[in-house]
Amino acid sequence: MDLEKRPAHRAEQPQPPGQADRHPPQAEGCLAVAIRLPVRIIVLVLVVPVRLVWDALAVCGRFLYFRGLRPVGRAFGAVLTWLFKAVFVWPWVGLWRYVVVPVGVALAWLGRVLFVVPAVWLYRSVLTPVGHGIAWLARGIGRGIAVTALGIAAGCAWLWRYLVAIPAAWLYARVLTPIGHGIAWLARVLGAGAAAAGRGVGAVLTWLFKAVFVWPWVGLWRYVVVPVGVALAWLGRVLFVVPAVWLYRSVLTPVGHGIAWLGRGIWTVVATLCRWLLVAPVVAVWRWVLAPLGRAVAVVAREVGDALGHAWRVAGHLSLVVGRFLAKLLRWIFVEPVRWAYRTVLTPVGHVVRDAVWRPAAKAVKEVRRATRQALASARESVRQARADVRRMLFGTSKQAVPVAAPPQEPVPVPIPAARREPVAPGARTLGSSTTALTKD
């Protein structure tokens, strides 16, 4: 544990670029050094059991999760997946594959046979020839109509030209144009006279409108309203503005200055009293009581936090050491004796039992089974021959040759595999080879 003050030059060491100082230098006094050792000892004593219990619970939880909960969850998920597929997926897949698809294929074939093939035959064999004949007939009729229409159009054009167009052009050039020129000259003369008369009437109407509606109001504003307004403004200034300004300058301003001076004095007295009666004691209590107490509490809290972190790390190392010791103790007490008993006692005994008891017993059982099968086959053959003799005695021999049953064949003996022993090489990997090597060394 770090029981001494941190050296001052450690805070002045340059930090590598891109890496900030996680523990900025802080001023430490005698209080921090005095409370550090007992706090760390007490916290270490309290935290070590908690860390040991925590690590034990973590190991048990990991074992329970990896050996119990995760396999059960996977099995439960597999069962739920199978149930989901059996309830929601496979019925619809079977319905689609074995009902909808065959019915759709049958309906498609029926529609093709009933509608598509007759429609194609009708189009190719009936409608196409009829359409070609109608098109040929329509082309012939169209050509005749076109020739007739061209002749009629040429005759109509000649009649229109000589009966309508030429007389209309002569009428326009010789009759309508002079008449239009005369009408235009008369309209220009009449328009000039009407414009002159309109200008005179407009001037008279404008003078009358100004005389009736504009000039009286302009005279009223200029010679009545403006003089009356000027007189009223002078009267208001003399009667109201000048007395109000005198009253503000000579009366209200001195009175306001006196009230402001009195208020400043009262505020100064009240502020001084509040400062010395309230603020100064509070500042003194804060500066000489609360601030040192807060710094002490902060130092204690910081030291307790550092002690907790340090004790948690130390407890982790202790927990690791205790766990390794318990693992080795468990291996020495249970694993090594069991492995030694398995390799030294159980394996030779098992080989002896296998070679001396199990294999001869299995061979004897196979021989008994083979003899039993042969006896049963001989009995079945004797019963078959007796039945055949009784049938021949009762019903006689048929003309066809009676097939003679073939003698039973001897079963081929099954070869027994040779015994395979475990390798006894010096470098063979076993359950506790590393521990054995360490003990031997």
Side-chain angles (χ1 to χ4, degrees):
M1 290 186 293
D2 187 10
L3 302 178
E4 301 296 334
K5 288 186 178 180
R6 296 191 181 96
H9 63 82
R10 183 180 300 176
E12 300 177 358
Q13 292 179 356
Q15 296 291 335
Q19 182 180 1
D21 189 6
R22 296 182 180 179
H23 301 283
Q26 299 176 356
E28 294 184 353
C30 58
L31 179 62
V33 178
I35 68 174
R36 181 173 298 163
L37 180 60
V39 166
R40 290 200 174 186
I41 293 175
I42 295 172
V43 169
L44 181 62
V45 171
L46 295 177
V47 167
V48 168
V50 177
R51 182 59 185 266
L52 292 175
V53 174
W54 175 263
D55 290 340
L57 291 177
V59 171
C60 295
R62 282 197 298 268
F63 178 79
L64 180 63
Y65 172 73
F66 286 108
R67 301 300 180 186
L69 296 180
R70 189 162 70 174
V72 171
R74 287 179 178 176
F76 189 67
V79 172
L80 288 181
T81 304
W82 185 85
L83 288 176
F84 178 80
K85 289 182 179 180
V87 175
F88 295 102
V89 178
W90 292 337
W92 297 103
V93 171
L95 181 65
W96 172 263
R97 183 174 298 173
Y98 300 107
V99 178
V100 176
V101 173
V103 171
V105 172
L107 290 177
W109 178 83
L110 189 61
R112 183 174 180 275
V113 170
L114 294 180
F115 297 100
V116 178
V117 173
V120 171
W121 177 85
L122 180 64
Y123 175 77
R124 289 180 180 177
S125 304
V126 179
L127 297 180
T128 300
V130 171
H132 289 173
I134 292 174
W136 178 81
L137 184 61
R139 282 197 297 270
I141 294 173
R143 288 194 188 98
I145 292 173
V147 171
T148 306
L150 286 176
I152 294 173
C156 290
W158 183 84
L159 291 175
W160 174 265
R161 182 181 180 187
Y162 287 100
L163 294 179
V164 178
I166 293 176
W170 179 84
L171 179 64
Y172 175 78
R174 301 299 180 181
V175 178
L176 296 179
T177 300
I179 292 174
H181 290 172
I183 292 171
W185 177 81
L186 183 61
R188 283 196 298 272
V189 172
L190 292 176
R199 282 194 296 272
V201 172
V204 172
L205 291 176
T206 302
W207 186 84
L208 287 175
F209 179 80
K210 289 181 179 180
V212 174
F213 295 102
V214 178
W215 291 338
W217 298 102
V218 170
L220 181 64
W221 173 263
R222 182 176 295 175
Y223 299 109
V224 178
V225 176
V226 172
V228 172
V230 171
L232 291 176
W234 180 83
L235 189 62
R237 182 173 179 275
V238 171
L239 294 179
F240 296 102
V241 176
V242 173
V245 170
W246 178 84
L247 180 64
Y248 175 76
R249 288 179 179 176
S250 304
V251 180
L252 297 179
T253 300
V255 172
H257 289 172
I259 293 173
W261 178 82
L262 183 62
R264 284 195 299 272
I266 295 173
W267 175 253
T268 303
V269 172
V270 171
T272 305
L273 290 176
C274 291
R275 180 183 178 186
W276 289 106
L277 294 178
L278 299 177
V279 177
V282 170
V283 170
V285 170
W286 172 263
R287 182 175 297 173
W288 303 107
V289 178
L290 296 180
L293 184 62
R295 284 194 292 269
V297 170
V299 170
V300 171
R302 189 182 69 230
E303 291 299 328
V304 168
D306 294 341
L308 283 174
H310 184 75
W312 188 260
R313 291 189 294 272
V314 172
H317 291 293
L318 292 177
S319 174
L320 183 62
V321 172
V322 170
R324 288 177 178 176
F325 172 74
L326 291 178
K328 288 185 178 180
L329 187 63
L330 181 65
R331 178 176 294 176
W332 292 339
I333 294 175
F334 295 102
V335 178
E336 289 296 332
V338 170
R339 189 175 64 85
W340 176 84
Y342 175 76
R343 294 183 60 184
T344 311
V345 179
L346 297 180
T347 300
V349 170
H351 291 172
V352 169
V353 170
R354 183 187 61 188
D355 297 336
V357 178
W358 181 253
R359 285 181 179 173
K363 188 174 181 180
V365 169
K366 288 180 181 179
E367 293 294 337
V368 171
R369 189 182 302 167
R370 186 181 302 112
T372 304
R373 281 200 300 266
Q374 291 177 359
L376 290 177
S378 301
R380 281 196 298 269
E381 185 62 28
S382 301
V383 172
R384 191 180 297 113
Q385 292 294 336
R387 289 174 60 189
D389 294 338
V390 172
R391 191 181 297 112
R392 281 194 300 269
M393 290 171 59
L394 294 176
F395 301 103
T397 307
S398 60
K399 296 181 179 180
Q400 297 180 356
V402 179
V404 181
Q409 299 179 358
E410 290 291 332
V412 181
V414 181
I416 299 175
R420 293 179 295 177
R421 297 181 178 273
E422 294 185 356
V424 290
R429 183 177 180 85
T430 58
L431 198 58
S433 56
S434 57
T435 311
T436 311
L438 289 174
T439 14
K440 288 181 180 180
D441 292 341

